[in-house]
Amino acid sequence: MIPAPKRHTVAIIGAGAAGTLTAVQLCETAARRRAPLDLVLVDPAPEAGRGTAYATPDPRHRLNVPASGMSCYPDDPGHFTRWLCRHGEPAVRGADFATRYRYGAYLADALAQAIVRAHGTVAVRRLRTRAESCTRASDGGVELQLASGERLMADSAVLATGPAAARDDWAPPRLRTSERFVRSPWAPGALDGPLAEPADVLLVGTGLTAVDLALSLDRPGRTVHAVSRRGLLPQPHAIGPAATMAAPDGLEVPSLSALRRTVYRHIGRAVRTHGDWRPALDSLRPHTARLWRSLTPEERVAFLEREGALWNTHRHRMAPATAESVSRARTARRLRVHAATVTDAAVLDDGSVLVTLSDGQNIRTGWVIDCTGPGPRLEDPLWRSLFDSGAAVRGPLGMGAATRDGRLLDAEGRGESRLFTLGAPRRGELWETTAVPEIRVQAAALAQELLAPLSTPRRTVRRRPVDGHGLGLSTHAEAAAAYRTGLDRVLKVRAGAEVAFGRAVALDPGFALAHAALALLGHECGADVDVPRALADAQRSARERADERERSFVDVVTRRVHDDSSDGGALALLGHLGRHPADALALAAAVPTIAFSGINDLDDAYALRLVERTSPASDGHWFHTSLLAFLRQEQGRFHEAAELAHRALAIEPASGHAVHALAHVHYESGAHEVGRDWLDAWVSGQGRGAVHRAHFSWHIALHELALDDRAAVRKRWFAQLAPGRVTGVRALVDSGSLLWRARLSDSWRGQVPAADVLGTVAREVVERPATAFTALHAAVALAAAGDVAALRRLRDHAAGADPVQREVIVPLCQAFTALVEERFHEAARGLDALLPVLRKVGGSAAQREVVEETLLYALVSAGRCDAARRLLDTRLDRGAAPRDRRLLAALPG
C-alpha cells in the first residue's frame, strides 16, 4: 500500500488584514489547483480579519480609502462594494467610505467563504496564541515556538504581523510612568478612562489615529489638543470622483532633487488643469515603490526629513465626512492643533498632567494619548528572534525587514528560507505598503509563490471529459457532468442552468469554462450570479488550467461583459467560432435568440452564414437545427423555418429555440388561432420548465391580441405576465410592451398598470440601460406609465451611450414624449423616421413591431387617416388579423 503524501503546511502569523488576505488567496488558489494544503492561522484575536485597524466599533471611524479600492481581490475591484450592497447597504457606491468595523466584518466573511469553497482541499486551523520564535527545521521548513508552549511545524510561514509597535521614547520619563499616559489607544479598555471623564485630552500625533480618537473623544465642554512637530492633519479626499491623470514623464531621474522638481511640476499642472492636486499624487501610486528603490540611503533620509510628513498627510487622506466633523470641532475650538513637540510633563496632585510644549505652551490635561503611529523597528519577540539568529535582517534605514519579493533575506543576503512577509514589514523596501490596495497584490503573489512547490499528481485517465458536443473539458468527470447539464439547459432554454454550472464550480473551483458560463448567464440573462466575481474566477482558472478553446471562450465572455458594444468583442467571438465551430454555447451567445442578445449589429444574413458555416461541426444536432429555423423565419422563409423547427422538436421536444422559431412563424404568417393553440399546449406541457416561459406566454398573448380577444389578453396578462410572476428585464420586455400594445389598440380599457411593471425593475436598468434593446422597452414602459421626466432621463443617458442608443433611442424617447404630451403630429414624424433604422436595436420583428403600432396610434390621433390606412393595409398584407381589420374599419372616410 502506498502511503498518502504528507500535506503541505503553511503557517500565517497574524490574522489581521494582511494575514486574512493571504489566507483567502491561498484557499482559493489551492482549491483551483486541487492542491491539498493545511493552513494554520496563529493570532490571539477572537476574530480573523479585524486586527487593530478594523476592530473599532465606533461608526465615526471610517476607512481612508473609498469602497472601490478595498476589495480583497486585485482583479475584482467591486467585490467589497457588492458585499456592502448585499449586507444592508443597497445604496452604497464605490466612492463611499465605509466604516472600519464593517470592513473587518467583510474580511472575516471573505475568509469564511474562501474556506467553505476550498473545503476538501484546504484544511484551516486557528490557533489563538502568539508565535514567539522561529527557527529553520531540519527538513528545510520552519519551526515556530508558540506562547502556549506548543511547537508548530510548517513547510512555510508568512509573517503578517502588521505595523511595528509605536515607540514612546519621545515621552518625558515622568509621563511614561504615569497612569494618565495611554501607550496603545486601540488596546481593549485603553480608552475607558478618557471616555468616562470630561477632562481635556492631549493627543500626541496628528495623523489618522489622532483623527479617529479626536472624533471619539469629542464632546461639549472638553478640549482635545493634538500636537505634532509640524501640526499637519491629513488632507481630505475629494467629495466627488476625482479626475485622473497619467504619471508624468521624467520619473527616471538621477537624483532626489531632480525627482522633486518633476513631481512638483506635475502637481502644479494638476492644479492648473483640474483645480486639484489629488489626481497628480494618485497618479504616482503605481510608481512609488520603484521610485523609493531608486533613491540612495542618503536621499531616502533627506526625503523623510523634508517631505515625509507632507507626503503622509496628502497621501493618506481622511474621508470627506470625517474631514467635515474635524472641521466643525476645530471651528468650535473643541479640537486644537499645535505644531510643537512635548518637552516636559508633570503629574499634578489632582491626577491631571501638565505638559510643556517646545513652543512654550503649557497644556493641562486629564490624559495624554500616544497617537504617533507605528515605529520603524520591528521589536516583538518573534522578529527579535529572527534578527538575533541572522535568519532575517532589518530593512533599509532600519525600517521593517529586508526582503526580496516578500521572501525574508538572511544575514548573508540570501533569500533561501521558507519565511515570507507582506504589508508593513516591507516598508523599508517599498515605502508604500500598508494600504489594502498594495497588500492584496502582495497576498496574491505570495499565494502563487507558496504553492509553487506543490506538484499535484495527475491522475492517469483513459479519456478526457467532454461536453455534449465532443469538446474537451479541463476538469474531472463529476464537474464535467454538472457542466453538461447546465449546457443542455441553456440550449433548451430551460431553468436551472446556473444551478448546474454552480455545482460544476463547487466540485472543481478551477474549472474556467463553468465560471465563464455563470458570468455569461448573469450578464445576459439576469441569473442570480455575482458576474464580476465569476468572471475573475474564470480568468484566474484559465491562466492556471485550461486549453486554448477554454481560454478563448473566457476571453470572449470577458469582452462581452466589459463592453457589449465593442467591435473587438464581436470579432473575438466570431474568431472563436471560426476556430471552434462546435462550441454550442459560443454559437448561442453569437446569434440573437430568446436566450442571448447576440452580437450587436449582426444582421440576419451574416447570422445565417455563421450558423451555416458551423453546420458541419454540429452533425445535425437539434440545437443547431433550431437556430437555423429561427433565422429562416427572420428571412421570411416561413415554410422552411417551420419544417426545421418540427425536425428539431421531433428529436428534442423541449427545444425552446425551435418552439420560439415556430411561434414567430405562426405570428408572422397570420396563423394566429393555430399558433395560440399549439403554443398554449406546449407551455402547459414541455414548456413548464422553460426559463423564459413568460416570453412564450407573451407570444400567446400577441396571438390573442391579433385575434381581438380582449378578455383573453387580460386573463393571460394577470395569470402569466403580471408583476410578481415576471420581474426584472423580462417584465420590461414582455409585460410592459404587451400592456402598451393592448392600450394602443383599445384592447385594454382603463389605465394600464405599467407603473407596477416598472416597480419590478431596478431604476438603473430603466433609466441607464446597457443595451439599445433594453432601452427600447424601457421607453415603451415609461410611455405606458406617462412618465415624461423619466423618458427625458433615459434620452439623456442614451445621448452619451453607444452609437445605436444615440441614433435610435434618443429620437425614440423624444417621439414617445411628444405622444404622451399629445403632440401627435410630431410623434408620428419621429416614429416614421425611425422605422428604417429600428433593426439596429436587435430583437425580433415581433418585438420591434411595438414602434410601428405606436406610429399607427399617433397617425390616427393626429387625424392622418390616409397614412394610417396605408400602414394597416401593409400590416394586413403581411398577415390577417381581426384586430387590424377592426382598426381599419373604424377609420373615418
Side-chain angles (χ1 to χ4, degrees), residues 391-630:
V393 294
R394 297 193 184 276
L397 307 186
M399 294 191 295
T403 66
R404 181 181 301 125
D405 297 327
R407 189 189 294 263
L408 293 183
L409 301 180
D410 62 19
E412 298 181 13
R414 297 174 303 186
E416 299 175 356
S417 73
R418 298 296 298 169
L419 292 172
F420 301 82
T421 191
L422 76 165
R426 297 185 67 184
R427 192 176 178 211
E429 174 196 358
L430 303 175
W431 175 240
E432 282 292 341
T433 181
T434 58
V436 167
E438 282 77 32
I439 295 174
R440 66 190 182 192
V441 173
Q442 295 173 28
L446 268 187
Q448 300 292 326
E449 179 73 14
L450 287 161
L451 295 176
L454 275 66
S455 55
T456 306
R458 293 188 177 274
R459 294 180 296 175
T460 302
V461 292
R462 298 182 178 217
R463 187 176 64 182
R464 186 183 180 203
V466 295
D467 68 5
H469 301 260
L471 299 177
L473 300 173
S474 298
T475 188
H476 53 71
E478 295 85 353
Y483 179 83
R484 285 194 295 271
T485 298
L487 179 60
D488 183 65
R489 290 181 179 276
V490 168
L491 301 186
K492 290 178 181 174
V493 199
R494 296 187 74 80
E498 65 269 26
V499 174
F501 289 137
R503 176 163 174 74
V505 299
L507 289 167
D508 180 4
F511 188 6
L513 207 58
H515 284 299
L518 278 172
L520 184 64
L521 286 185
H523 176 68
E524 285 274 318
C525 308
D528 185 16
V529 175
D530 186 343
V531 175
R533 169 76 180 159
L535 192 58
D537 283 335
Q539 293 164 340
R540 296 167 196 152
S541 301
R543 287 192 294 268
E544 295 177 353
R545 171 166 52 89
D547 63 19
E548 187 279 330
R549 176 185 75 91
E550 293 166 320
R551 289 193 300 271
S552 174
F553 186 78
V554 169
D555 178 62
V556 164
V557 176
T558 300
R559 292 170 183 266
R560 194 176 186 95
V561 169
H562 286 164
D563 186 1
D564 263 327
S565 62
S566 168
D567 289 340
L571 292 174
L573 179 50
L574 294 174
H576 174 87
L577 283 167
R579 297 187 300 274
H580 309 287
D583 193 332
L585 187 54
L587 184 61
V591 179
T593 62
I594 187 174
F596 298 107
S597 62
I599 296 174
N600 287 345
D601 298 328
L602 184 66
D603 60 42
D604 296 339
Y606 196 100
L608 183 62
R609 288 198 298 274
L610 179 63
V611 172
E612 289 173 338
R613 207 166 51 237
T614 56
S615 181
S618 76
D619 194 25
H621 194 276
W622 57 263
F623 169 67
H624 199 275
T625 304
S626 301
L627 285 187
L628 193 57
F630 185 81

Side-chain angles (χ1 to χ4, degrees), residues 74-207:
D75 54 357
D76 184 7
H79 189 260
F80 177 46
T81 307
R82 299 195 306 276
W83 184 90
L84 288 170
C85 290
R86 293 193 304 270
H87 290 79
E89 300 183 43
V92 74
R93 300 169 303 163
D96 293 340
F97 293 79
T99 64
R100 293 183 181 277
Y101 196 80
R102 290 287 277 165
Y103 189 69
Y106 163 70
L107 289 177
D109 187 57
L111 177 57
Q113 294 298 322
I115 292 171
V116 169
R117 287 192 293 269
H119 179 70
T121 302
V122 182
V124 181
R125 284 190 295 155
R126 276 287 312 277
L127 299 179
R128 290 183 179 167
T129 184
R130 298 183 186 278
E132 294 190 330
S133 67
C134 178
T135 56
R136 186 168 182 172
S138 58
D139 62 356
V142 297
E143 181 178 332
L144 294 156
Q145 177 65 52
L146 306 181
S148 62
E150 299 175 84
R151 287 185 177 273
L152 173 63
M153 308 298 294
D155 295 285
S156 305
V158 178
L159 278 62
T161 54
R167 298 179 62 178
D168 60 5
D169 52 0
W170 57 267
R174 286 184 293 180
L175 180 58
R176 287 201 295 269
T177 59
S178 171
E179 294 180 353
R180 296 282 170 157
F181 179 49
V182 179
R183 285 181 173 79
S184 303
W186 299 123
L191 297 179
D192 289 350
L195 288 171
E197 298 179 6
D200 292 351
V201 176
L202 173 64
L203 309 177
V204 181
T206 57

